[in-house]
Amino acid sequence: EEAAMNILRVEYPDHRVLSEETMASVPDWDRGWLWVIDPIDGTSNFARGIPTFAFNIALCLDGEPVLGLTYQPVTEDEFFAQRGEGLWVNGVRAHVSTAATLADALMGIGLGYDYIRAKKALHLLADLWPGVQMIQNMGSAALGLAYAASGRFDLYVHHLLAPWDMAAGIVQVREGGGIAIDREGRPVTIFSQGLIAGAPGPVDEFLRFSMGREWK
């Protein structure tokens, strides 16, 4: 994080930088140019030698993500999106999957560290099962969203996220031709707590399934 912030201070001295460690010192996230960084998303995986973690960085303008990069060091996969310019994975144009329904879907999930909310999410998934092909818990929201944006997952669902977890993924999913909404069906923002993102059909169906159920 320190290395990334030092580069940004030199290249973009007028831009502010938001990370988990600097959150308290960066007010008004919806104002001006703002870089949002997570140097290691999937820290628990990283600490245990599980190769599912990523470096995540996004650029926001007035609170709206306009550029997002997720880099998976072990596989060297690079997911990059810029508003209006599409999604690129390792330099090749990428899109959300063509899955039309939840029944067709490989679903990624994140449970996070709020154990009460996670328990509710597990109950929700138990009600859903076996209404999807498979459910995978990545342990990295950044990769979960990048995978949903590029069609590796058909959708990704998480009940509680921070800006540095999802800012890059929001623009990646949209530029990949998908949708990213909050748990009420509104367009997701960096201020949202949870999200449903990926191919339009599975996302819409999961939203309708989850409405009225307790998973917040």
Side-chain angles (χ1 to χ4, degrees):
E1 178 178 306
E2 183 178 346
M5 291 179 71
N6 286 340
I7 292 171
L8 293 173
R9 288 190 188 103
V10 172
E11 297 293 335
Y12 303 99
D14 296 330
H15 291 191
R16 295 176 301 151
V17 180
L18 173 68
S19 70
E20 190 169 2
E21 284 69 30
T22 64
M23 177 177 62
S25 62
V26 184
D28 302 325
W29 299 348
D30 59 348
R31 179 175 54 83
W33 292 103
L34 178 72
W35 291 93
V36 184
I37 300 174
D38 193 344
I40 303 179
D41 185 78
T43 308
S44 295
N45 288 347
F46 174 80
R48 290 175 175 266
I50 299 169
T52 311
F53 56 90
F55 172 80
N56 216 31
I57 186 168
L59 177 63
C60 299
L61 177 59
D62 297 331
E64 181 71 19
V66 296
L67 180 151
L69 170 67
T70 301
Y71 179 65
Q72 189 172 5
V74 175
T75 63
E76 297 186 341
D77 283 334
E78 181 182 277
F79 305 83
F80 177 77
Q82 182 177 340
R83 187 170 65 184
E85 299 294 332
L87 168 69
W88 303 82
V89 179
N90 302 326
V92 178
R93 188 69 180 264
H95 305 273
V96 296
S97 82
T98 58
T101 68
L102 270 178
D104 301 324
L106 168 57
M107 176 179 172
I109 63 162
L111 296 176
Y113 298 101
D114 184 319
Y115 300 126
I116 294 175
R117 290 194 182 201
K119 184 176 181 179
K120 293 177 181 178
L122 287 170
H123 283 305
L124 179 71
L125 295 174
D127 289 342
L128 174 63
W129 188 258
V132 292
Q133 292 290 320
M134 187 181 294
I135 300 173
Q136 294 190 356
N137 182 9
M138 292 282 290
S140 166
L143 285 176
L145 284 166
Y147 283 14
S150 59
R152 297 184 182 186
F153 285 165
D154 300 303
L155 77 159
Y156 181 76
V157 176
H158 202 299
H159 60 88
L160 184 62
L161 290 172
W164 42 87
D165 300 317
M166 61 181 175
I170 291 172
V171 66
Q172 289 166 1
V173 169
R174 290 172 178 165
E175 290 300 313
I179 56 176
I181 56 177
D182 68 14
R183 294 166 299 181
E184 284 73 42
R186 300 169 299 209
V188 76
T189 74
I190 63 171
F191 306 99
S192 302
Q193 289 195 341
L195 57 70
I196 310 164
V203 168
D204 181 66
E205 193 172 336
F206 183 86
L207 174 66
R208 287 186 278 112
F209 168 81
S210 65
M211 292 297 281
R213 287 179 165 86
E214 187 179 15
W215 66 296
K216 304 173 186 176

